[in-house]
């Protein structure tokens, strides 16, 4: 494979050290991996940065002491000057102060984004100081992020004030750019020269070389002036533009007066020296600038050389004699190397590098990757670009040099960390995606540490610095990049990058595995399909959000079989497939009667699983108690040819109340580790497919982003390519899977939505209201109104609508209309609510008819930002047609004005009719989108009009604006095509073929139809882009409605403090609406910078606000924390800014409470304003959901203790590097003042009882227990699922949810259509309802009564549930009994007796099978 010359040559330029004996005979485990075996066993002691750096020891996890839990995890933030910042590196380490010895000393200060220039600048300065007799240089450098620290910033200002020359480069973070301007601006006149290379326009204006000034040129009518102006609008291509400017210098200079031409030429030369980057170029940069602009050396000639130029793009190799600008030339050299003997079918890996690292001599980490790939038998083509458009070398060097147009490389790995096109300013994702789609191979984006040293990253539980996450993880994901593995560290002394051997080992093994998918025949590929079982119960095997898992797997297997995959003897049906995996379907989950695919001995497990010993701290010696028969570890599942379908083990501590109570995090158990060990080392999977949203792997302990080799998700997934079917509407958790388990996430559609409709008494009520309207002026109106009131009571609407106790005859017409109007409003709210019916099967697109309700809701929203023209909503167009404004109609409807409720209902019905007619017109004979030939012929001959025109003919809306309607329905047609497209199985097959899966946003398809079609590699969004202006506008509406409602209910008093829960997915779907709500509550407005990144704040004056600043306590989900650390900082800054406003305390509750806490706790005002909390790093949820789902809790105080224990980690923007610091006392103090608890619902697909997350984060009863007066807070839910946003009480929302889902025949019959999995969905809704009783007490008794009547007292229904999924039915029965036993349901003795008998019957059935 490889002989020692390569290693020796590589290592001459690299700090990585490989012994030549180890480099020759590698086998499966690489040299790097073996080198690390001893290092990974080191203890928790202080680490030094060395050339060969391991990923560090495992973090402390859940202890096995008597309390069943670990000590609270605390982050050591160090005692350095940046304590709590992200780096403890002292800029003094970059200061060189020479002995003058009679020479003139020149002082240079520089600021850069990354540290690769440190080494070559230091070398250049040392050479001048050693060799020049008349000049010496003092130099000091700052990394941009270091200027956040107050002491550093003061030192920087002092240094600039006494400097001769300032140099800055890549300053694209506006809040730090402002600091540069603040420090350098006043000193600019006294500086001899100021050189700023690609940066934000305000910083570029600081440039000063004699008469040359960017600010002057920006106003001049010249080529440079035009360039500067375009650069302000197009910062993503600033560096590319500057380099083009350099190349066209002769044309540019003729536009300048002769005295300015030399200075402009000097600037361009300076730029060439800088981008050349090596010590020679930087020495010449310093000397040429000094001799031209420092007065003391005005007539001195230092005999500088012209800039040494390097190719803009090219191919580099650590052992090559030169850069190559032609792939054939490179391959001629590469294929004649005597130190390398690769097979003809060796995988080819394309690497993408930054030229600046190569020219500055900071390429050791690149060499380490090349060396490791070649040691593993891969051919390597490492390309580079001088600017930040890396698509150019991709297009030039990664295609077959013989001109076939096929890709020459099998996998691309970017080692830049940046987006393919753009860099730190912005990126051009469409251009990148186009280039990568054409190349069509997997695209991995690995990253070097930029803002931290290696030891700081190792010590951090956050992992990679949040600014780097935003720039170098989130942005590449928009290009379709996967696997953000940290492959290189940064030395604290030299600033140089160095290899992280075990990380490079992981990166290279994974890249080669992806490449081999291209070369392997389908019949030989091994695929491990992994399903989930949560909560652990045999009736729950195959759990996934809104997915028919086994129906989907059956369809996938049939498709793979057609493509030549060996799927063995497939079962004849989905039902047989379920039975083959569950074995005896009625058996209990933990009875071993799940099919056992493999029994792993303890010896084999310990030999094959390198981290087995680390799990013993939590779980004792293997085999442990889970997934074992007492002697061996059991892997559950079934093999079909080369496809293994396995059941992922659960977390393992769901049923242990003490662990749920005390754990901050816990390692996977031995059974979990054995499962993934089996997949990699025994089954030898070529890829794993995690089937549906979601499993446990990505939520195991470890760093948030940028994991080390001892983070459990990294250890578990090993080197297996990970494909993951994920619901399109859940981009936040999909992003966690992408970053923490290296998943290529493939989106699937949620089931087609339908309007909930009305049933039973609700249907009767609507008919009565219709009668009332037609007979309103007759003598029968009193009687009908009385019947409406009585029926409303029978339907339990009396909690939602204020109904009179007295005889309706005493009411006047206006009062009767208001009662009927409010009942009507509530009915329409129920009837029109969208709900997904049934479960989705992967690869089955909805019919056109099934898409109607979704399209109606898409048409309901205004789209002011739509290009090329804004689109008005259909309700707005129809309202205008009758001379009304839709917002006025919404307002009247919300007040229950009968006429307005009826008007809105007529608009809604007309909208549905328009869309239905339109869809019929586009529907073929098979019920799917196609050509309706008859309709086309009739339209051609003028026999019928366009469908939306037909629908409105003869109605009050016939005069609707035709141009507006045509524009809207062009958009609806596009959306319809997207809804019914399907690439879910196609994308899976592309990934298994080793191809590029096109990226696409996740989110709500109604708000953002760009989510469609599914079958895309899901990404979130640029976290620095939220909240958007539209989100801020919508947030203000919701906050105003919430505060108005509270003031109305409390004699005009505003709440002093609101506890808000923030979710990752919600903020992605709404572009930051709930984040903006927090800002609006405290009266601070987020503002974008010049690049559109939201990182600035403006205080809204009290006069404009028109109310007090309301205090907040923000609890962020673990997923929000992982995705939006920068926004957590923005929120914390906003709250502290509000607290610092010198305003009357009765008008600033933030300040009032912060002062109280500061005095009580003896802390500063800013510390007293700590209000942003989440879990400890690497930890998710409060565990209340696990306790409720597994019935493993004794009383509510235990649930509240879990919440306090796990959700009280404070985020502090003054100490961002500290991550979440345990601050239980501060959290408790803040919660004691809470008057209102508040959450958001933003999508019709997920409501309060669909998932356990919502009640898991609800603090309503917790606040009541903490308040000194014991008063229960008000609890509200904002519903922004429609254009008419609502703020409802929590109890109202729970009732609405029950009526539209759990108790609605349309919903539960739709679920039961999916059989086994449908029963589980019904049981899950009831369990989540009990969760709401436990955390809020806001569930009415009638909800349990009606559910019991529907599923238990109806004998035919009970039998259906029992036969379809006995385990889930048993859980359903047990949940009813539990609700009664805990005092949440006041059941009759007859009801309880039937439940007990049913429980016995179902136990007998299960036991009988056993």
């Amino acid at each position: 494979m490889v002989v020692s010359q390569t290693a020796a040559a590589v290592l001459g330029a690299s700090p990585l050290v490989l012994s030549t004996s180890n480099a020759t005979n590698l086998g499966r485990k690489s040299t790097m991996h073996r080198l690390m075996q001893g290092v990974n066993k080191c203890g928790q002691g202080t680490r030094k940065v060395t050339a060969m750096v391991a990923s560090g020891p495992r973090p402390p996890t859940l202890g096995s002491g008597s309390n069943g839990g670990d000590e609270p995890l605390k982050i050591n933030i160090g005692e350095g000057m940046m304590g709590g910042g992200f780096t403890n590196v002292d800029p003094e380490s970059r200061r060189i102060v020479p002995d003058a010895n009679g020479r003139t000393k020149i002082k240079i200060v520089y600021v850069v984004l990354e540290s690769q220039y440190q080494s070559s600048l230091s070398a250049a300065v040392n050479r001048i100081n050693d060799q020049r007799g008349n000049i010496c240089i003092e130099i000091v450098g700052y990394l941009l992020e270091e200027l956040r620290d107050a002491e550093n910033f003061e030192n920087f200002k002092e240094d600039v004030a006494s400097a001769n020359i300032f140099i800055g480069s890549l300053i694209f973070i506006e809040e730090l750019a402002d600091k540069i301007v603040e420090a350098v601006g006043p000193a600019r006149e006294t500086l001899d020269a100021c050189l700023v290379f690609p940066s934000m326009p305000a910083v570029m204006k600081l440039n000063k070389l004699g008469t040359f000034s960017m600010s002057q040129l920006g106003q001049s009518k010249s080529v440079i002036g035009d360039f500067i102006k375009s650069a302000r609008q197009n910062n993503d291509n600033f560096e590319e533009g500057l380099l083009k400017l350099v190349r066209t210098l002769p044309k540019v200079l003729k536009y300048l007066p002769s005295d300015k031409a030399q200075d402009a030429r000097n600037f361009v030369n300076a730029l060439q020296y800088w981008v050349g980057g090596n010590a020679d170029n930087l020495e010449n940069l310093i000397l040429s600038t000094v001799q031209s602009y420092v007065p003391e050396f005005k007539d001195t000639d230092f005999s500088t050389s012209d800039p040494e130029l390097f190719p803009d793009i090219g191919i580099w190799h650590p052992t090559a004699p030169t850069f190559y600008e032609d792939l054939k030339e490179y391959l001629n050299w590469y294929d004649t190397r005597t130190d390398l003997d690769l097979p003809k079918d060796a995988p080819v890996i394309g690497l993408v590098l930054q030229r600046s690292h190569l020219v500055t001599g900071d390429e050791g980490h690149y060499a380490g990757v090349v060396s490791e790939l070649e040691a593993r038998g891969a051919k390597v083509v490492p390309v580079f670009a001088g600017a930040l458009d890396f698509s150019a070398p991709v297009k030039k060097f990664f295609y077959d040099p013989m001109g076939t147009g096929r890709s020459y490389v099998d996998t691309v790995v970017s080692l830049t960390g940046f987006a393919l096109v753009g860099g730190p300013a912005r990126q051009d994702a469409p251009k990148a995606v186009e280039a990568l789609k054409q190349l069509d191979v997997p695209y991995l984006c690995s990253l070097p540490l930029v803002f931290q040293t290696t030891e700081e990253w190792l010590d951090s539980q956050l992992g990679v610095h949040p600014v780097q996450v935003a720039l170098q993880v989130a942005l590449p994901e928009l290009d379709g990049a996967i696997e953000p593995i940290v492959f290189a560290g940064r030395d604290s002394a030299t600033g140089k990058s160095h290899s992280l051997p075990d990380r490079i080992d992981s990166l290279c093994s994974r890249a080669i595995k992806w490449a081999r998918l291209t070369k392997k025949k389908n019949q030989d590929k091994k695929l491990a399909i992994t399903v989930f079982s949560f909560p652990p119960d045999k009736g729950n095997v195959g759990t996934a959000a809104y997915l028919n898992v086994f129906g989907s797997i059956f369809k996938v297997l049939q498709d793979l079989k057609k493509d030549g995959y060996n799927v063995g003897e497939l079962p004849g049906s989905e039902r047989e497939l379920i039975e083959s995996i569950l074995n005896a379907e009625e058996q209990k989950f933990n009875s071993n009667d799940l099919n056992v695919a493999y029994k792993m001995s303890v010896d084999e497990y310990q030999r094959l699983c390198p981290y087995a010993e680390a799990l013993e701290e939590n779980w004792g010696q293997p085999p442990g108690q889970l997934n074992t028969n007492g002697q061996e570890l059991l892997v559950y599942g079934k093999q079909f040819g080369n496809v293994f379908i396995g059941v992922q083990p659960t977390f393992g501590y769901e049923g242990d109340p003490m662990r749920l109570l005390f754990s901050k995090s816990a390692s996977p158990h031995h059974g979990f580790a054995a499962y993934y060990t089996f997949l990699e080392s025994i089954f030898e999977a070529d890829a794993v497919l995690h089937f549906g949203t979601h499993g446990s792997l990505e939520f195991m302990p470890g760093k948030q982003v940028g994991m080390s080799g001892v983070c459990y998700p990294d250890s578990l997934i090993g080197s297996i390519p990970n494909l993951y079917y994920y619901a399109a509407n859940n981009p936040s958790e999909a992003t966690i899977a992408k970053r923490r388990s290296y998943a290529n996430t493939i989106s699937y559609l949620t089931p087609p939505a339908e309007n909930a409709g009305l049933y039973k008494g609700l249907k009767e009520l609507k008919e009565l209201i219709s009668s009332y309207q037609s007979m309103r002026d007759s003598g029968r109106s009193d009687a009908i109104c009385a019947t409406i009131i009585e029926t409303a009571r029978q339907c339990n609407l009396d909690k939602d609508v204020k109904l009179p106790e007295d005889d309706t005859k005493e009411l006047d017409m206006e009062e009767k209309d208001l009662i009927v109007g409010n009942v009507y409003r509530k009915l329409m709210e129920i009837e029109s609510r969208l709900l997904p019916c049934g479960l989705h099967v992967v690869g089955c697109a909805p019919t056109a008819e099934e898409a109607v309700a979704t399209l109606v809701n898409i048409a309901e929203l205004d789209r002011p930002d739509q290009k090329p023209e804004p689109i008005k909503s259909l309700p707005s167009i129809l309202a205008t047609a009758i001379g009304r404004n839709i917002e006025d109609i919404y307002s009247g409807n919300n007040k229950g004005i009968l006429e307005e409720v009826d008007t809105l209902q007529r608009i809604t019905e007309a909208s549905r009719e328009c869309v239905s007619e339109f869809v019929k017109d586009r529907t073929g004979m098979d019920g799917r989108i196609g050509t309706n030939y008859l309709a086309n012929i009739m339209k051609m001959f003028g026999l019928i009009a366009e469908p939306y025109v037909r629908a409105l003919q003869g109605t009050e809306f016939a005069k609707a604006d035709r141009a507006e309607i045509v524009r809207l329905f062009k958009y609806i047609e596009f959306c319809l095509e997207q809804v019914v497209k399907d690439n879910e199985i196609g994308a899976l097959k592309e990934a298994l073929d080793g191809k590029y899966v096109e990226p696409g946003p996740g989110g709500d398809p109604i708000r953002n139809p760009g989510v469609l079609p599914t079958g895309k590699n899901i990404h979130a969004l640029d976290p620095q882009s939220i909240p958007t202006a539209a989100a801020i506008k919508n947030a203000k509406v919701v906050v105003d409605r919430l505060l108005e409602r509270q003031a109305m209910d409390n004699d005009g008093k505003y709440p002093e403090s609101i506890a808000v829960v923030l979710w990752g997915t919600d903020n992605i779907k709404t572009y930051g609406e709930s984040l903006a709500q927090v800002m609006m509550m405290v009266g601070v407005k987020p503002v974008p910078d010049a690049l559109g990144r939201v990182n600035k704040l403006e205080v809204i004056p009290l006069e404009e606000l028109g109310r007090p600043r309301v205090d907040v306590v923000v609890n962020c989900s673990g997923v929000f924390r992982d995705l939006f650390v920068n926004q957590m900082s923005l929120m914390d800054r906003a709250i502290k800014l509000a607290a610092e406003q010198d305003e009357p305390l009765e008008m600033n509750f933030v300040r009032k409470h912060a002062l109280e806490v500061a005095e009580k706790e003896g802390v500063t005002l800013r510390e007293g304003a700590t209000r942003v909390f989440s879990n400890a790093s690497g930890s998710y949820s409060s565990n209340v959901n696990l306790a409720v789902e597994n019935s493993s809790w004794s009383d509510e105080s235990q649930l509240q203790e879990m919440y306090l224990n796990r959700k009280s980690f404070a985020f502090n923007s003054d100490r961002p590097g500290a991550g979440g610091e345990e601050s239980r006392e501060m959290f408790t103090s803040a919660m004691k003042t809470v008057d209102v608890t508040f959450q958001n619902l933003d999508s019709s697909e997920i409501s309060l009882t669909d998932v356990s997350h919502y009640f898991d984060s609800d603090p309503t009863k917790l606040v009541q227990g903490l308040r000194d007066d014991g008063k229960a807070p008000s609890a509200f839910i904002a519903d922004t699922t429609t254009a008419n946003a609502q703020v409802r009480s929590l109890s109202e929302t729970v009732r609405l949810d029950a009526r539209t889902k759990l108790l609605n025949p349309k919903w539960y019959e739709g679920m039961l259509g999916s059989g086994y999995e449908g029963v589980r969905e019904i049981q899950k809704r009831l369990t989540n309802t009990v969760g709401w009783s436990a955390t809020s007490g806001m569930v009415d008794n009638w909800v349990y009564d009606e559910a019991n009547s529907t599923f238990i007292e109806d004998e035919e229904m009970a039998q259906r549930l029992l036969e379809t999924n006995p385990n889930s039915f048993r859980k359903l029965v047990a949940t009813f009994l539990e609700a009664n036993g805990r005092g949440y349901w006041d059941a009759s003795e007859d009801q309880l007796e039937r439940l007990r008998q049913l429980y016995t019957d179902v136990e007998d059935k299960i036991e009988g099978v056993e």
Side-chain angles (χ1 to χ4, degrees), residues 498-549:
H498 52 224
S499 300
L500 296 171
D502 69 321
R503 300 290 74 219
I504 287 179
D505 175 31
S506 176
L507 170 65
C508 295
S509 63
R510 295 187 63 77
I512 290 171
K513 277 274 187 87
W514 278 109
R516 292 205 185 281
L517 287 173
T518 311
K519 303 198 173 282
K520 209 167 192 177
K521 292 179 180 173
N522 285 353
Q523 66 188 39
D524 298 327
K525 289 176 186 171
K526 288 188 169 184
L527 175 64
I529 295 176
T530 296
V531 300
F532 314 120
S533 174
F534 194 83
D537 181 287
K538 194 167 181 179
N540 289 330
V541 173
T543 315
Y546 282 120
L547 189 65
N548 181 335
V549 171

Side-chain angles (χ1 to χ4, degrees), residues 329-340:
E329 287 181 20
Y330 172 76
L331 293 177
N332 285 341
W333 167 78
Y334 197 94
D335 293 339
T336 55
R337 288 170 61 189
T338 57
D339 61 333
L340 200 61

Side-chain angles (χ1 to χ4, degrees), residues 174-384:
E174 181 156 317
E175 58 194 297
L176 297 175
D178 291 343
K179 285 180 173 283
I180 300 286
V181 173
E182 180 187 337
V184 179
R188 185 175 179 274
E189 287 308 309
T190 57
L191 285 166
D192 296 319
C194 187
L195 288 166
V196 181
F197 304 120
S199 294
M200 295 193 76
V203 188
M204 291 293 290
K205 280 186 180 181
L206 296 171
N207 265 301
K208 172 191 170 185
L209 280 185
T211 57
F212 175 84
S213 161
M214 283 278 180
S215 55
Q216 293 167 358
L217 288 170
Q219 275 104 51
S220 68
K221 293 182 179 178
S222 68
V223 175
I224 297 182
D226 292 343
F227 163 68
I228 294 297
K229 285 169 187 167
S230 72
R232 286 184 187 135
Q233 299 159 2
N234 193 22
N235 279 282
D236 49 329
N237 287 319
F238 204 118
E239 183 164 344
E240 186 73 36
L242 266 179
L243 292 173
K244 283 179 184 170
L245 186 64
V246 168
R247 290 192 286 272
T248 57
L249 179 62
K251 297 175 188 172
V252 173
L253 294 182
K254 69 182 182 183
Y255 289 95
L256 295 174
S258 57
D259 59 328
K260 292 186 178 180
Q262 185 57 48
D263 291 325
R265 188 177 289 109
N266 287 347
F267 175 76
V268 174
N269 265 348
L271 176 63
Q272 289 183 319
Y273 282 131
W274 182 258
V275 297
N278 60 19
D280 289 343
N281 270 328
L282 295 178
E283 182 181 359
N284 284 314
L285 167 66
I286 292 168
L287 293 174
S288 63
T289 304
V290 168
Q291 72 185 17
S292 298
Y293 299 106
V294 176
E296 291 87 337
F297 292 94
K298 192 154 183 64
D299 298 319
T300 307
D301 182 3
F302 287 121
S303 303
T304 57
S305 308
D306 287 337
E308 183 182 355
L309 302 179
F310 299 98
D312 287 341
I313 63 171
I315 308 173
W316 165 90
H317 191 283
T319 65
T322 185
F323 290 146
Y324 293 93
E325 295 185 72
D326 181 83
L327 180 58
K328 282 184 186 174
E329 287 181 20
Y330 172 76
L331 293 177
N332 285 341
W333 167 78
Y334 197 94
D335 293 339
T336 55
R337 288 170 61 189
T338 57
D339 61 333
L340 200 61
D341 182 19
L342 298 174
K344 282 188 178 178
D345 65 345
V348 182
I349 309 297
L351 299 179
V352 180
L353 319 175
Q354 265 183 284
R355 190 185 69 173
S356 60
H357 281 280
L358 304 177
V359 298
T360 58
D362 184 24
E363 83 291 355
H365 54 318
Y366 292 163
V369 176
V370 173
S371 165
E372 179 66 11
L373 285 168
E374 291 179 344
R376 288 174 172 273
K379 198 169 186 174
V380 189
V381 183
V383 305
F384 64 83

